[in-house]
Amino acid sequence: MQAQLASRGSPAVSIVVPAYNAQDLVAACLQSIVPQMTAAHELVLVDDGSRDRTAECAQAVFDERPGLRARLVRQPNGGVAAARNRGLLEARGAYLCFVDADDLLLPGALAALDRAIERHRPDVVAWDFLMWHPHKERKTRRVALGYAPQQSVTGRDAILSPFFANRHMYVWAHVIRRAIYAGLPQPVFPPGRVFEDVAVLSRLLSECASLVRLPLPAVAYRQHAASLTRAISPTWCVDFALAQRQVKSTFAERGASQALRLFIDAAACHFYIGIVKNSYQLPWAQGRAARRQVKEIFLDSLFHAPGQVLDAMATGALPWPDPARERAVARQVRLALGDSLCFALARAASRRIKLWQRMAAA
């Protein structure tokens, strides 16, 4: 019966899983998705040139459910952006749901998604997630998106202002109509670039007229012990900064209200100070050169003069979700832009201490 139902018509939702060298994790990911699927769903796994048994592990899960509308697509390695782009080409559902191969789709997610689509027919469904620490479960926490639950949100500012205020810029936390992806310049995700979610997701949401938030944690976002000590490179720093400058370009072209521009600029400040702090993991001369380049890109990514943005963050000019955090970031950005030696020395010491602590705990 399942096989017969799956052959009728196009699916309502396509779940796209990009995977690379994920043989130890991909089966758990797929097994979290497959039991939730009905004839209204399809599953597309894109094996991005894995050199291990990722494809075989995925196919074994599919073979256990012969009536499942699921398929494995293989391509030469091109990075996660290329894998997502291939998934977009292969998907046939009205809505697109991305799940990374090392994460889990939590029980009840697809059923809740189906109900939200049936009731509201929104352009995008946003859902909460878990910041999941599988080796230290006490650190696992729920992250809630900044929208009222189960209510339809309409209008560009109402959708985008909470998005930039909360800065949860994960494509897998937003299930968006495939037609909106198709309407963007192709390829949607810039190949060869990291942080593609930051630049792409805001552009996608700018095309959405309505949004519904599901107030349940739908994705367990795996935090890897190894990723805590990942090598930060100058390219990593610059790519992150360039992604935010692309956001400015998008909204300079499409237009944005004064309030939305301030939210966008504040998000750029948060990302900038995050880049600066991480850059202190680099050798001193290399880090200094990266910070110089990132500073130039950051200033070019702002709609307003930096002092105006930082004043707005410090004085509560907009309804920030965490005013104390805004004040702290504004203060740190002022120090970073002023090339404060005390700030630089404190950041360098702090980064190294944290790195040693994380390595010891890993």
Side-chain angles (χ1 to χ4, degrees), residues 202-358:
S202 60
R203 174 64 191 275
L204 286 163
L205 291 180
S206 75
E207 302 286 347
C208 295
S210 58
L211 175 149
V212 169
R213 172 194 160 209
L214 293 183
L216 81 164
V219 174
Y221 176 31
R222 185 187 297 267
Q223 305 301 291
H224 295 274
S227 69
L228 296 175
T229 56
R230 68 180 182 274
I232 301 297
S233 68
T235 299
W236 183 97
C237 297
V238 171
D239 272 5
F240 202 164
L242 288 174
Q244 192 59 36
R245 189 168 70 180
Q246 182 59 45
V247 172
K248 179 193 175 182
S249 298
T250 293
F251 289 94
E253 175 186 334
R254 297 185 54 74
S257 69
Q258 181 74 0
L260 180 56
R261 288 184 176 209
L262 269 176
F263 278 119
I264 293 171
D265 284 352
C269 289
H270 280 264
F271 292 137
Y272 169 67
I273 202 62
I275 298 168
V276 168
K277 289 178 179 179
N278 277 299
S279 73
Y280 284 100
Q281 296 181 35
L282 297 170
W284 183 259
Q286 198 175 70
R288 184 172 55 186
R291 286 189 291 277
R292 188 181 303 117
Q293 188 174 1
V294 165
K295 178 179 177 180
E296 181 180 347
I297 297 169
F298 163 67
L299 293 173
D300 191 44
S301 72
L302 298 176
F303 283 106
H304 303 86
Q308 184 179 353
V309 181
L310 299 176
D311 287 345
M313 295 170 68
T315 60
L318 290 175
W320 312 112
D322 185 349
R325 175 65 176 154
E326 297 302 314
R327 291 193 296 270
V329 168
R331 182 175 62 253
Q332 292 174 343
V333 171
R334 289 187 199 276
L335 291 171
L337 291 178
D339 297 321
S340 165
L341 179 60
C342 290
F343 174 81
L345 293 174
R347 288 300 99 203
S350 173
R351 283 288 125 175
R352 277 155 180 74
I353 290 169
K354 288 181 180 179
L355 185 61
W356 292 334
Q357 290 174 337
R358 289 169 176 175

Side-chain angles (χ1 to χ4, degrees), residues 8 31 57 109 114 152 154-157 162 199 206 272 298 316 352:
R8 298 177 185 172
Q31 287 164 356
C57 293
D114 291 343
S152 183
T154 58
R156 179 185 291 181
D157 273 30
S206 75
Y272 169 67
F298 163 67
R352 277 155 180 74

Side-chain angles (χ1 to χ4, degrees), residues 185-206:
Q186 304 296 314
V188 172
F189 296 99
R193 289 267 299 278
V194 295
F195 304 110
E196 77 283 355
D197 288 8
V198 173
V200 171
L201 188 52
S202 60
R203 174 64 191 275
L204 286 163
L205 291 180
S206 75

